Amino acid sequence: MTIDPKELPVPQLHGHLLSAVAPRPIAFASTVDKEGNVNLSPFSFFNVFSANPPVMIFSPARRGRDNTTKHTLENVKEHAEVVVNVVSYDMVQQMSLSSTEYEKGVNEFVKAGFTEVKSERVKPPRVKEAPVSFECKVIEVKSLGEEGGAGQLVICEVLLIHIADRVLDENGKIDPNKIDLVARMGGNWYSRASGDAIFEVTKPLTTMGIGVDQIPDRIRTSTVLTGNHLGQLGNVEALPTENQVKEFANEPEVRSILDSFDDDENIQLELHKLAADLLNEGEVDTAWKVLMME
């Protein structure tokens, strides 16, 4: 299916965008209006865009159904401060409740059962239950349009960060399993970023990988190895030496394959299966030695 955005009704386009661009982090934004009334509302058009200066942007878009604006947008225009709280799994149902479109002046902290904590540098309170909160000043509000569904970018500079000790590891870094964040998908769906849902991929920041194009054709065209496997293989800086491969040939799993089959096709297939298992376990160097046995 190919779609021209101009040919779709906004609600249908909105659905495709939010279902495809996912999961999205959630900015649980607390703001105050010029009279000091507190508002708390979640937004998944959100991310961090700079570390120096530390800048976040979230977008309380104009409502698609009637083109009205949200209280959060009105508040940051009246009082240019916001606290961006992150959302963990144990608070997601309360967070969802707070997204109810209550009348202006209603405090969603109270409605959703959250605890207000006085901020140190801004007027809006932070959410005690949130594992991390960012006290921010609003640098700019940039409108992307005046029609229903148009984004309204709230560009914020982080002034102070509060991190709950309970989500830190022994090195003082945020542990992804302890923080247990949730993210927005399309429709009513969310994702939980902990447990088996998270995985580690080594960044090639200090290395210069050989690249997939340098992988021998017999390996690159394997019917067993996936694109992810090839990406892992291409991230090494050098192939194992001939001596390393010869020494590895006596390893029990490899010797069993070499001694069990007489034809090259089956030997290659079984070696590729073994290499795939090793790559799934992160044993890239060992997988290369297996693949170079052919």
Side-chain angles (χ1 to χ4, degrees):
M1 179 169 63
T2 301
I3 295 171
D4 183 342
K6 295 179 181 179
E7 296 179 356
L8 279 186
V10 172
Q12 190 175 348
L13 175 61
H14 183 265
H16 285 313
L17 291 171
L18 269 62
S19 294
V21 184
R24 300 181 306 283
I26 300 169
F28 202 18
S30 55
T31 57
V32 296
D33 62 17
K34 61 185 177 183
E35 297 176 351
N37 295 309
V38 174
N39 182 270
L40 179 65
S41 188
F43 300 94
S44 68
F45 286 176
F46 163 63
N47 221 306
V48 58
F49 290 87
S50 173
N52 186 22
V55 171
M56 297 179 168
I57 302 176
F58 70 97
S59 176
R62 300 181 72 94
R63 295 184 179 92
R65 64 178 180 275
D66 58 11
N67 198 22
T68 55
T69 57
K70 297 178 181 179
H71 298 147
T72 299
L73 179 62
E74 297 164 5
N75 286 358
V76 296
K77 289 182 176 180
E78 294 178 5
H79 185 85
E81 295 178 338
V82 61
V83 177
V84 176
N85 306 275
V86 302
V87 180
S88 59
Y89 181 76
D90 58 6
M91 54 188 286
V92 65
Q93 295 290 347
Q94 288 173 275
M95 179 276 301
S96 179
L97 176 59
S98 75
S99 67
T100 302
E101 294 189 357
Y102 296 110
E103 294 182 1
K104 185 172 177 59
V106 172
N107 187 337
E108 287 84 2
F109 274 91
V110 177
K111 283 293 186 182
F114 285 113
T115 307
E116 290 186 32
V117 176
K118 183 176 176 58
S119 296
E120 296 181 29
R121 299 193 185 176
V122 298
K123 191 171 182 180
R126 56 191 178 92
V127 177
K128 181 180 180 181
E129 292 79 4
V132 181
S133 297
F134 302 91
E135 295 187 23
C136 306
K137 68 176 180 180
V138 176
I139 302 172
E140 180 185 357
V141 178
K142 182 176 180 58
S143 175
L144 301 181
E146 300 301 321
E147 300 298 323
Q152 310 296 311
L153 306 186
V154 180
I155 305 171
C156 315
E157 181 176 348
V158 178
L159 303 179
L160 201 63
I161 305 172
H162 303 274
I163 304 176
D165 291 339
R166 68 180 183 274
V167 303
L168 299 176
D169 63 18
E170 62 275 10
N171 298 313
K173 296 182 178 181
I174 294 175
D175 184 316
N177 285 299
K178 290 181 178 179
I179 196 170
D180 199 13
L181 294 173
V182 294
R184 200 72 171 83
M185 306 290 285
N188 291 329
W189 294 97
Y190 289 78
S191 65
R192 184 178 185 178
S194 62
D196 293 339
I198 64 175
F199 53 92
E200 189 173 13
V201 177
T202 303
K203 293 183 179 180
L205 297 178
T206 59
T207 60
M208 185 69 70
I210 63 170
V212 171
D213 61 324
Q214 296 302 307
I215 298 174
D217 285 346
R218 68 180 187 279
I219 300 172
R220 187 160 47 84
T221 59
S222 170
T223 59
V224 175
L225 301 176
T226 67
N228 278 336
H229 292 146
L230 296 179
Q232 289 174 279
L233 294 171
N235 199 32
V236 301
E237 291 190 285
L239 300 182
T241 65
E242 187 176 341
N243 286 337
Q244 289 175 324
V245 174
K246 286 182 178 179
E247 291 174 4
F248 196 73
N250 292 319
E251 290 294 317
E253 286 182 295
V254 175
R255 180 48 55 191
S256 174
I257 293 172
L258 297 177
D259 292 342
S260 298
F261 299 94
D262 295 326
D263 60 299
D264 291 342
E265 184 176 344
N266 277 315
I267 289 175
Q268 176 178 292
L269 179 63
E270 294 304 316
L271 288 175
H272 283 207
K273 288 179 181 179
L274 175 57
D277 290 340
L278 290 166
L279 289 167
N280 291 338
E281 296 171 3
E283 299 291 336
V284 180
D285 291 338
T286 306
W288 260 118
K289 292 175 185 176
V290 169
L291 292 169
M292 297 301 286
M293 292 289 168
E294 301 176 33

